[in-house]
Amino acid sequence: MVNNQFILNKFGSLGSDFLIELQKHAITSEIKAKTEIVREGQKNKFVPFLIKGSVKVYSLNDGRELIYYYMRPNDSCLMTFSSIFSDYTSRIYAVAEEDSEVLLIPVSAIHEWLIKFPQINRLFYGEYEKRFVDVMNMVNDAVFHKLDKRVLNYIKQQISITGNNPVKLTHKEIANNLGTSREVVSRVLKKVENEGEIIQTKEGIKIPVNENVRID
C-alpha cells in the first residue's frame, strides 16, 4: 500500500493530477537492514524515495567502499535517477543500513512525467543540490582531514542517522567505509578514546554527552 501521507508531504506541491498518476504507478517496499537495494551493473527499473530508515549509497574499488552519501527519509537516490538518461545501468550500490521503507517509482513513468509535469524537474533539482553537497563534503573530508578526524566524523554521522548514542559499529565496518584497514582504525579509536573524544563500551561507541554530534 502506498504511504499517502508521505506522498502528500513529498509531492503535494506538484498538484492533484500528478498525485493521481503517482498513486497509479508507485509502490512501496519494506527493506530489511543490510539488504542490497541496488547493485553496480544492475538495470534500474525504479527510482527509490526513502520513506523511513537509512540507505548507504557507495561504490566498490578493490573491495573497498567509497561512500557517496546516505539517504534519509524524504531523500531519493539521484545516482539511480541520473542513470535513466543513459543506459539505465547502475554505477553504485545501495544498501539499507536499518529496516527501511521505500517508495519505488517506475523509470518508464518518470520519463513520461518529465514532459507531462515539467514542475517535477524542480523537485529533482533540489535533490541534486543536496546530493552534490554530500559528495563535496565527502571529498573535502577525504582530502583535507586526517584519519582521526574522519573517523570521528563518521561516528557522529552514524549517531545522527540512527539516533543512537552509543552506536553499534565494528572496527571492520568503519575501516571498510573509510577505505582503510581494521588495524589502523583500531589504533585511531584507541588514540581518540585516550583523548576523551569517544567512549568504547559493550553497547557500542559513544560520543560524550557534552560533545556536539554535528559533522564538521
Side-chain angles (χ1 to χ4, degrees):
M1 179 180 294
V2 175
N3 188 307
N4 291 321
Q5 190 57 53
F6 173 82
I7 285 179
L8 286 174
N9 292 340
K10 184 69 178 180
F11 304 100
S13 63
L14 299 179
S16 58
D17 289 344
F18 178 81
L19 295 180
I20 292 171
E21 286 288 315
L22 188 62
Q23 288 281 6
K24 289 180 182 177
H25 297 281
I27 59 175
T28 58
S29 179
E30 299 281 347
I31 310 293
K32 292 294 185 182
K34 307 306 178 184
T35 299
E36 188 176 78
I37 302 171
V38 178
R39 68 179 293 105
E40 185 178 4
Q42 172 185 320
K43 290 292 184 179
N44 291 319
K45 297 180 180 179
F46 299 93
V47 173
F49 285 79
L50 190 63
I51 298 173
K52 66 180 181 181
S54 64
V55 173
K56 178 174 65 176
V57 178
Y58 64 98
S59 64
L60 284 176
N61 186 3
D62 292 331
R64 291 186 175 182
E65 295 180 3
L66 175 62
I67 299 174
Y68 294 120
Y69 52 82
Y70 285 89
M71 290 172 59
R72 303 188 187 189
N74 293 320
D75 286 346
S76 68
C77 183
L78 262 296
M79 297 190 80
T80 300
F81 174 72
S82 65
S83 75
I84 74 175
F85 297 104
S86 52
D87 57 4
Y88 294 75
T89 301
S90 173
R91 292 169 178 79
I92 53 88
Y93 294 85
V95 173
E97 287 284 277
E98 55 186 319
D99 289 349
S100 302
E101 183 180 5
V102 295
L103 178 77
L104 300 174
I105 302 179
V107 167
S108 57
I110 291 180
H111 271 297
E112 294 179 8
W113 294 345
L114 289 172
I115 299 172
K116 188 175 180 180
F117 304 102
Q119 63 269 34
I120 197 177
N121 287 283
R122 294 198 302 271
L123 183 147
F124 283 112
Y125 289 151
E127 295 290 329
Y128 266 119
E129 182 178 11
K130 287 192 296 183
R131 296 286 77 85
F132 180 76
V133 170
D134 286 341
V135 172
M136 287 301 298
N137 287 339
M138 178 271 292
V139 172
N140 287 336
D141 206 35
V143 173
F144 297 112
H145 289 166
K146 294 182 179 178
L147 186 57
D148 56 351
K149 184 68 170 178
R150 292 175 60 202
V151 169
L152 279 173
N153 279 350
Y154 178 77
I155 295 169
K156 292 176 182 179
Q157 182 184 55
Q158 295 305 304
I159 290 173
S160 176
I161 289 172
T162 64
N164 297 326
N165 187 23
V167 62
K168 276 285 188 182
L169 292 170
T170 67
H171 295 194
K172 178 67 173 176
E173 180 182 355
I174 297 172
N176 287 343
N177 288 330
L178 296 182
T180 185
S181 70
R182 182 188 59 78
E183 293 77 11
V184 170
V185 167
S186 295
R187 289 197 296 269
V188 169
L189 289 174
K190 188 63 177 178
K191 172 179 178 292
V192 296
E193 184 175 32
N194 290 337
E195 294 171 349
E197 297 277 2
I198 64 168
I199 301 171
Q200 297 190 78
T201 70
K202 292 181 179 179
E203 290 73 33
I205 301 175
K206 181 178 181 180
I207 298 291
V209 293
N210 61 339
E211 285 288 328
N212 192 340
V213 181
R214 177 180 60 83
I215 301 174
D216 298 326

